[in-house]
Amino acid sequence: MNIGHYPPPKRRGLIIHGIVILMLAVIASIGFINIIRADVGPAFLVSLLIAVASFMPIPFFVYRAYSLMRADYHMDRDSLAISWGLRAEDIPLSDIEWIRSADDLTHPISMPRFPVPGALLGMRRHPDLGTVEFLASDSKKLLLVATAKRVFVISPENSTG
């Protein structure tokens, strides 16, 4: 088993998250500027709804971008450490039953809810594997790490190491 550092691909996800955050911030800013200029009435209400609706998801995307920046997979002699944002999983190598590519499955694995490139996060049920937890950034480079409790889905940039 190769020992080393296997970060997930980050560039595409960070660019997409940055663009989404920027677009939402611009829309929210325009909405707030229109609130200041509008008299109380329908224009004020519409501007308020647009500003609030576009501002609310910004922290969600900021945390996902932060999580992707901190994302890392590190394997040493004793364990596989998965870091994703404020989350850290340390899986002892003795607990790992197998590691294989997601392409090897007979039933394809379904992506988590809200799959944004750079942030494939969440849990799904798989008919053969049971509970599957995603901590991945690229749907084309998925590796499954099976333990007795659950299967983790990761996406190291270079899995051959």
Side-chain angles (χ1 to χ4, degrees):
M1 195 167 281
N2 293 331
I3 296 173
H5 174 71
Y6 302 94
K10 299 177 183 180
R11 183 186 339 202
R12 182 172 168 231
L14 289 173
I15 290 170
I16 289 172
H17 280 79
I19 290 170
V20 169
I21 292 166
L22 183 64
M23 286 174 32
L24 289 171
V26 166
I27 293 168
S29 298
I30 291 170
F32 286 125
I33 290 170
N34 286 339
I35 289 172
I36 295 170
R37 294 181 182 166
D39 293 330
V40 175
F44 178 82
L45 184 61
V46 169
S47 296
L48 179 65
L49 290 174
I50 289 172
V52 170
S54 60
F55 183 76
M56 286 182 63
I58 290 175
F60 173 79
F61 285 104
V62 168
Y63 178 71
R64 284 199 167 199
Y66 167 76
S67 296
L68 181 58
M69 284 191 310
R70 291 208 47 209
D72 193 18
Y73 313 120
H74 186 78
M75 184 179 290
D76 60 21
R77 293 179 186 207
D78 303 322
S79 66
L80 170 63
I82 301 172
S83 301
W84 203 277
L86 300 175
R87 172 101 189 268
E89 283 286 335
D90 194 25
I91 306 167
L93 289 184
S94 60
D95 289 355
I96 295 175
E97 295 176 357
W98 48 262
I99 298 175
R100 66 174 59 124
S101 172
D103 298 333
D104 296 343
L105 296 175
T106 55
H107 291 79
I109 195 163
S110 58
M111 292 295 132
R113 291 184 175 95
F114 310 116
V116 179
L120 299 174
L121 306 170
M123 298 177 95
R124 298 294 287 195
R125 296 266 323 142
H126 189 273
D128 298 332
L129 304 173
T131 302
V132 177
E133 182 171 2
F134 284 83
L135 293 167
S137 67
D138 189 353
S139 62
K140 295 179 182 79
K141 298 180 178 186
L142 298 179
L143 281 182
L144 305 170
V145 179
T147 65
K149 295 179 184 175
R150 73 172 52 137
V151 176
F152 292 95
V153 181
I154 61 174
S155 62
E157 191 158 19
N158 182 9
S159 61
T160 57

